[in-house]
Amino acid sequence: MDLAETEEEREFRAGLRAWLARTLPELPPRPSPDDWPGRRAYDLGWQRRLYDAGYAGLHWPAAAGGRGAGPARHLAFLEEAERAGAPYVGANFVGLLHAGPTIAAEGTPAQRARWLPPVLRGEEVWCQGFSEPGAGSDLASLRTRAVRDGDAYVVTGSKVWTSHAEIADWCELLVRTGPDAPRHRGLTWLAMPMDAPGVTVRPLRTLAGAAEFAEVFLDGVRVPVAYRVGAEDDGWRVTMTTLSFERGTAFAGEVVACRRTLGALARAARANGRWDDTVLRRRLGRLAAEFAALWRLTQWNVSAAERTGGVPGAGGSVFKLAYSQARQELYDAAAEVLGADALALEEEWVRERLSSLSYTIAAGTSQIQHTIVAERILGLPKGR
């Protein structure tokens, strides 16, 4: 991986900085964290501005509607956008970071033409329908059934922890089409329209007070066979592609955001006198080193994915393990720097601290990631 920037890449950064400086002051006020229709409109509006300016899908292949610019430009965009305080993907994260890349890698030309341009233009939102009440970490035990009926699948079952389901247009849905097949076989990846008859969404309120997840109940929902991505009963392999993106490259922007947060904590510690605590200074210094290493690992993962056709490998599990822990430690340190009184007043810090607790579960628990690293990277025998 060559980290040295070319003259062309430096010019790209300069142009992006100038565009951000002009554009960010024009944005409307950010909506309340609980106003999900408002957040959808805000996030889609930002995505449309990126699209119109030529910054949407920088690293997506040209055949998928992207710019095909490669990992260096994509990472430079994330760095500059975070430094400028630009919005992140928000409600668009499943479409831009999970479903979209999966369709780009596994979909037919017709599927790519139908679903990818609206994601890049900021016109449609996706949610993820993988987990079920009895199939979270053990995803292969899911029970939602899809029975072929002519040119459609009839889907019955339920999903849980479905991110942004209440404002989504489409759902990347994993279903069981081969009930007699082994657990990891007989699964199929479908794109389900969220306005289809038989879809019921019930929002879930998290510990942080937000309703960003939902239960989704499916009662005889008809999904056209043309909306199947990959072959019937090959959904586990397609899903591994989705999870590779989710664990390997989807957190790239969040690493940059955490480094910015860490800098804000250091400034706050200097201002309130906590900087005199040598133990705290060492803790912040160690976190700075941790996130610097995570950013290098991100660069490596993105570059490695580029060399293998755009799909990240098992190294994403190494990143996900380290990042989940580092993020929790970052907001533990925030509590130490700001103190209990400040945390009671600063709602954003409170929300982020509570949200950080979920990262050892989201996108696959840490226990699952340890198993993947042990078996697929270290070559250790499979557990029983």
Side-chain angles (χ1 to χ4, degrees):
M1 181 177 62
D2 184 2
L3 298 179
E5 284 194 334
T6 65
E7 181 61 31
E8 183 179 359
E9 288 162 357
R10 285 191 288 272
E11 291 177 359
F12 170 78
R13 279 188 185 269
L16 174 58
R17 286 173 187 158
W19 180 80
L20 289 169
R22 292 193 307 270
T23 305
L24 293 181
E26 300 173 351
L27 294 182
R30 296 190 189 222
S32 163
D34 297 326
D35 178 8
W36 281 103
R39 290 180 66 176
R40 173 192 161 104
Y42 183 89
D43 294 338
L44 290 178
W46 173 245
Q47 183 62 29
R48 182 69 201 205
R49 286 175 184 261
L50 292 175
Y51 179 84
D52 290 341
Y55 292 119
L58 284 172
H59 61 302
W60 283 25
R67 299 286 173 172
R73 197 160 291 191
H74 170 52
L75 294 171
F77 171 82
L78 292 175
E79 286 183 315
E80 296 300 332
E82 279 296 339
R83 286 171 182 165
Y88 193 44
V89 290
N92 296 314
F93 88 93
V94 174
L96 286 169
L97 305 180
H98 305 171
T102 300
I103 293 166
E106 302 285 348
T108 65
Q111 289 172 340
R112 292 197 294 268
R114 165 60 188 88
W115 287 314
L116 299 184
V119 170
L120 291 178
R121 291 193 299 259
E123 296 171 353
E124 293 180 343
V125 170
W126 284 67
C127 63
Q128 185 182 87
F130 285 3
S131 296
E132 298 181 3
S137 295
D138 187 14
L139 184 59
S141 65
L142 67 85
R143 296 182 179 180
T144 295
R145 287 286 310 276
V147 178
R148 181 79 176 260
D149 180 24
D151 61 356
Y153 291 101
V154 180
V155 182
T156 303
S158 66
K159 297 292 178 176
V160 73
W161 307 123
T162 309
S163 302
H164 304 325
E166 67 273 26
I167 58 168
D169 303 290
W170 294 89
C171 177
E172 50 174 1
L173 185 71
L174 189 60
V175 297
R176 186 167 296 282
T177 46
D180 299 324
R183 290 186 338 130
H184 291 83
R185 301 175 186 174
L187 301 176
T188 299
W189 199 106
L190 300 176
M192 181 185 72
M194 290 297 289
D195 61 355
V199 177
T200 300
V201 176
R202 183 183 298 165
L204 294 169
R205 192 162 295 277
T206 69
L207 180 66
E212 61 190 276
F213 301 112
E215 295 176 288
V216 177
F217 300 94
L218 308 169
D219 184 11
V221 180
R222 295 186 67 86
V223 179
V225 173
Y227 293 176
R228 183 188 70 217
V229 176
E232 183 171 300
D233 296 342
D234 193 31
W236 184 258
R237 185 191 62 79
V238 179
T239 299
M240 290 304 99
T241 298
T242 304
L243 295 180
S244 293
F245 285 112
E246 186 173 11
R247 297 163 184 166
T249 55
F251 289 116
E254 295 192 32
V255 175
V256 181
C258 285
R259 297 180 76 181
R260 187 177 65 181
T261 297
L262 187 58
L265 285 178
R267 291 190 294 273
R270 290 186 177 96
N272 66 16
R274 297 289 290 142
W275 193 252
D276 295 334
D277 185 336
T278 57
V279 175
L280 176 61
R281 287 207 310 273
R282 288 194 194 98
R283 185 177 192 182
L284 295 180
R286 184 179 59 78
L287 281 168
E290 184 82 11
F291 281 108
L294 281 168
W295 182 243
R296 289 292 182 247
L297 183 56
T298 297
Q299 292 174 309
W300 187 90
N301 282 335
V302 171
S303 297
E306 185 72 13
R307 294 193 299 271
T308 58
V311 180
S317 291
V318 177
F319 169 87
K320 204 272 179 178
L321 269 171
Y323 174 72
S324 298
Q325 187 62 40
R327 186 182 177 94
Q328 290 188 4
E329 291 181 8
L330 172 65
Y331 286 99
D332 278 344
E336 188 174 351
V337 170
L338 299 174
D341 291 340
L343 283 175
L345 296 173
E346 298 287 341
E347 290 189 15
E348 182 178 354
W349 292 105
V350 175
R351 287 196 303 270
E352 291 294 343
R353 174 65 186 102
L354 295 175
S355 175
S356 72
L357 299 174
S358 70
Y359 277 73
T360 52
I361 300 173
T365 65
S366 291
Q367 292 88 343
I368 294 293
Q369 307 313 311
H370 278 118
T371 299
I372 292 173
V373 171
E375 294 177 359
R376 301 184 192 175
I377 297 178
L378 301 179
L380 298 177
K382 291 188 176 182
R384 295 183 178 179

